[in-house]
Amino acid sequence: MMPSTLEHKLAKILTKRKKYKAIRYGLYIFIFLLVLGSIQTTIIKDTDWEKIGTFGTVVKALARFFPPDFSLFPHLVKPTIETFMIACLGTFLALVLAIPVSWFAAHNITPYKSITYPIGRAIMTLSRSVHEIVWGLIFVAAVGLGAFPGILAVAMRSIGFISKLTAEAIEDINPGQMEAIRATGANGFQVILYAVIPQILPVFVGNTIFQWDINIRRATIMGLVGAGGLGLTFHRQLVMYNYGGVTTVIIALLLLIAIGEVGSYYIRKAII
Amino acid sequence: MTASTLSTPRDSVKTWRRFKYPQSLIKYGIMLIILVFIAISIQYLNIHLERVLTMFGRLGNLFANRYYPPDIPYILDSEYLGYVFETVKMAYLGALFGILLAIPLSWFASFNMTPNKRFLYPVARFLLMVCRAVHEMIWTILLVTILGFGMLPGVIALSLFSLGFTGKLFSEEIEAINQGQVEAIQATGANPLKVFVYAVLPQVRVAWTGISIYTWDAAFRAATVVGFFGAGGMGWYLRRTVQQVESNRVAAILISIVGLVIISEVASAWARNKVSTS
């Protein structure tokens, strides 16, 4: 009796496995066909192949970007510093604004659960879902051209990320410390100051540095919508058809980002 | 002697401080440097602080008077919805190509598993760094100037974006794997490719799937705006309405972008959850 049930079970498992295998391969084939279909409709049919021409014309179009126009370099110093400062100020503003947002959006410490929690969550989602270009457009329309809308746009984009990870860290903290501080008669503010902040500080600082690194990247494109920095120079060189200058701007941008990456690595190492 | 030490307990009842003398100085010094840097930046960037206060009024005005009744019928138009569909397709094609390219590159770019430390490792590292360092919008603009308008530059730009994004995360996953399995496979005399397939891939499969889903999400976010620079999809509508100052339509498009991104985010969170639990 015993072995027969075992065999029975084994056979059941094997048929199940076969079924799953069939489903899996069916799914693979389906996805493959879907991708092929999309390639057909979006890339092959939609592209104006005649305008792109042969491989040679593409190479020719690419060759316009070389050699880089190094005479532009002295003019790139100021926009590069500007870009760097937009990123720094944007990150700083995001950091300041992320504190109340993450306080509101952390389920365990939010002051009025039915009101502030959804507000915090909504700000977080909105901030993350709108691309920095769109934020740039909104702020340029509201406060005019210049570096200021760039700072605001960069800040708005990173609030969501910093506060999301911080709120998650707050939700994971050890409640014992909060209870201990509350037991001393501390009010809500003191509980946050002495029980919550020390526990989440490393996460918060780490995320902020990570965002700073990304924000340098974001700041480089703020100029495309009229908000100062290297993006503006890039745009100008492009509309003047000075492709060598475009390459120079990209080189400057890569240097700036490399500096940011190395800097953030060392700061993170020094803090953590 | 002992009496005197006992009679002076006041020294030990100093108020407790987290940072003792030299560290506290460093802390305040860093804060001061940050504040000075902010002041210099504000000066350098020519920001008028009085404009910060009037900003809220103007933002309110912008939303209430110009954006307010969003032109919802505009985004429900079948032509616009067609472009939304194109955007989705562009995003997943870009993410897919990026991920497929990232598999070999992240293998080459992971310090512990790279088949060739002299040549392949630095080259792969450099390629991934360039892909990540150049913002996706700059890729889009460059590709549009080379290839002309259309979906192709958008897909390539998103592929490069996804490649940079996943490549780094993928190689970090590879660098964190258990070396025991690698050694076991190596001991059978397997070549580097076989080691990668049989020792590395099974270990990173789940994490990579999660990262890939997240990449699709990120690529979709970028895809909503690549059209702004002429690379197809709904971004093109955004550019047209922004330039013609049709603010009500801009508002409607923004609503559609936020809605779609939230849907994609919920879907990706659900899928990632499903992958990590199964």
Side-chain angles (χ1 to χ4, degrees):
Chain A
M1 198 63 203
M2 201 50 188
S4 77
T5 46
L6 203 66
E7 271 163 22
H8 188 65
K9 267 185 187 167
L10 202 69
K12 232 180 175 177
I13 288 170
L14 281 177
T15 46
K16 220 178 185 179
R17 233 180 231 181
K18 255 184 201 161
K19 212 174 107 196
Y20 273 132
K21 216 173 187 179
I23 289 175
R24 197 154 19 121
Y25 283 112
L27 209 64
Y28 286 158
I29 291 166
F30 176 70
I31 290 172
F32 185 69
L33 289 179
L34 201 71
V35 169
L36 275 189
S38 314
I39 290 174
Q40 170 67 24
T41 53
T42 59
I43 298 182
I44 294 173
K45 256 166 89 186
D46 190 69
T47 313
D48 191 355
W49 292 105
E50 289 199 353
K51 198 169 162 266
I52 294 174
T54 56
F55 184 72
T57 38
V58 174
V59 171
K60 227 183 213 169
L62 204 66
R64 287 182 304 186
F65 288 92
F66 296 98
D69 178 8
F70 285 111
S71 63
L72 199 70
F73 251 131
H75 305 284
L76 286 179
V77 175
K78 195 173 184 279
T80 309
I81 297 173
E82 258 178 34
T83 304
F84 182 72
M85 282 175 167
I86 290 174
C88 291
L89 288 184
T91 312
F92 184 75
L93 189 64
L95 185 147
V96 172
L97 293 174
I99 293 170
V101 175
S102 41
W103 175 38
F104 279 8
H107 204 258
N108 50 350
I109 60 160
T110 186
Y112 304 102
K113 209 162 269 181
S114 51
I115 307 166
T116 52
Y117 181 69
I119 291 177
R121 285 269 146 185
I123 294 173
M124 225 153 79
T125 316
L126 195 67
S127 149
R128 268 160 12 100
S129 60
V130 178
H131 197 271
E132 52 264 32
I133 286 277
V134 177
W135 280 122
L137 286 170
I138 292 174
F139 285 118
V140 166
V143 301
L145 301 172
F148 188 47
I151 295 170
L152 291 176
V154 166
M156 278 312 287
R157 183 72 204 260
S158 30
I159 287 173
F161 187 85
I162 300 178
S163 54
K164 184 173 192 230
L165 293 178
T166 312
E168 274 167 13
I170 292 174
E171 280 165 4
D172 282 345
I173 61 169
N174 179 358
Q177 299 184 24
M178 270 166 78
E179 275 163 32
I181 301 283
R182 201 172 286 136
T184 65
N187 59 26
F189 176 72
Q190 284 168 327
V191 169
I192 289 171
L193 191 61
Y194 293 109
V196 177
I197 287 178
Q199 292 194 57
I200 57 151
L201 204 58
V203 175
F204 188 67
V205 173
N207 288 333
T208 309
I209 293 166
F210 182 65
Q211 275 296 299
W212 174 72
D213 194 13
I214 294 175
N215 279 344
I216 294 178
R217 246 155 266 207
R218 289 182 180 149
T220 57
I221 60 149
M222 288 314 356
L224 298 176
V225 290
L230 271 176
L232 200 60
T233 322
F234 178 82
H235 188 68
R236 276 193 200 134
Q237 295 300 318
L238 202 69
V239 293
M240 291 194 307
Y241 299 108
N242 184 10
Y243 293 112
V246 171
T247 314
T248 321
V249 175
I250 291 174
I251 292 170
L253 190 147
L254 285 176
L255 283 178
L256 177 67
I257 287 164
I259 292 169
E261 202 143 297
V262 172
S264 79
Y265 174 77
Y266 279 105
I267 296 172
R268 217 174 306 164
K269 221 175 164 188
I271 291 174
I272 300 162
Chain B
M1 190 65 192
T2 43
S4 71
T5 43
L6 280 176
S7 64
T8 53
R10 287 183 58 200
D11 293 333
S12 56
V13 217
K14 274 185 194 157
T15 37
W16 178 83
R17 280 210 189 92
R18 176 128 181 256
F19 295 104
K20 297 275 158 21
Y21 165 63
Q23 280 100 327
S24 64
L25 206 65
I26 289 170
K27 198 177 121 194
Y28 288 119
I30 289 174
M31 277 182 180
L32 193 72
I33 289 169
I34 290 174
L35 283 180
V36 168
F37 177 76
I38 288 169
I40 291 172
S41 310
I42 288 172
Q43 186 72 33
Y44 189 85
L45 294 174
N46 221 346
I47 295 167
H48 301 287
L49 285 176
E50 69 272 8
R51 263 166 71 188
V52 176
L53 295 175
T54 60
M55 176 189 98
F56 295 101
R58 286 203 261 171
L59 264 179
N61 187 28
L62 181 77
F63 283 116
N65 296 336
R66 282 165 52 193
Y67 280 1
Y68 171 57
D71 191 355
I72 297 292
Y74 185 69
I75 55 168
L76 297 177
D77 187 52
S78 65
E79 200 190 330
Y80 182 77
L81 290 179
Y83 274 91
V84 170
F85 188 55
E86 296 272 274
T87 310
V88 174
K89 278 199 287 192
M90 195 161 70
Y92 89 73
L93 282 181
L96 186 78
F97 293 148
I99 291 163
L100 289 180
L101 285 173
I103 292 172
L105 269 180
S106 61
W107 171 32
F108 298 155
S110 58
F111 188 73
N112 53 349
M113 288 320 301
T114 182
N116 181 331
K117 253 180 205 155
R118 276 276 165 66
F119 176 70
L120 278 180
Y121 176 71
V123 168
R125 265 272 130 120
F126 180 74
L127 279 179
L128 288 181
M129 190 229 146
V130 170
C131 282
R132 222 152 34 84
V134 178
H135 196 278
E136 66 263 24
M137 292 304 132
I138 289 178
W139 281 129
T140 310
I141 294 170
L142 289 177
L143 288 163
V144 167
T145 51
I146 293 170
L147 298 174
F149 297 109
M151 303 292 268
L152 184 66
V155 172
I156 299 176
L158 289 174
S159 308
L160 291 172
F161 163 72
S162 311
L163 172 59
F165 189 89
T166 41
K168 188 184 180 207
L169 296 172
F170 276 12
S171 61
E172 270 170 11
E173 286 297 332
I174 294 181
E175 278 166 3
I177 61 167
N178 180 357
Q179 282 292 323
Q181 299 181 30
V182 176
E183 277 161 30
I185 301 285
Q186 269 167 352
T188 65
N191 59 22
L193 181 67
K194 279 187 177 156
V195 172
F196 179 68
V197 173
Y198 292 108
V200 180
L201 273 185
Q203 289 195 58
V204 294
R205 204 173 51 104
V206 174
W208 278 19
T209 314
I211 294 167
S212 304
I213 295 167
Y214 187 57
T215 307
W216 178 77
D217 192 12
F220 181 70
R221 253 174 251 197
T224 54
V225 273
V226 291
F228 197 83
F229 300 106
M234 55 207 278
W236 179 244
Y237 276 79
L238 189 66
R239 166 149 228 165
R240 221 164 65 185
T241 49
V242 164
Q243 285 187 337
Q244 294 172 351
V245 205
E246 295 172 316
S247 302
N248 300 341
R249 289 183 172 174
V250 174
I253 291 173
L254 291 184
I255 290 173
S256 73
I257 289 177
V258 172
L260 286 168
V261 170
I262 290 173
I263 293 171
S264 83
E265 203 173 306
V266 169
S268 99
W270 175 81
R272 263 179 292 160
N273 205 4
K274 198 94 183 173
V275 167
S276 64
T277 48
S278 69

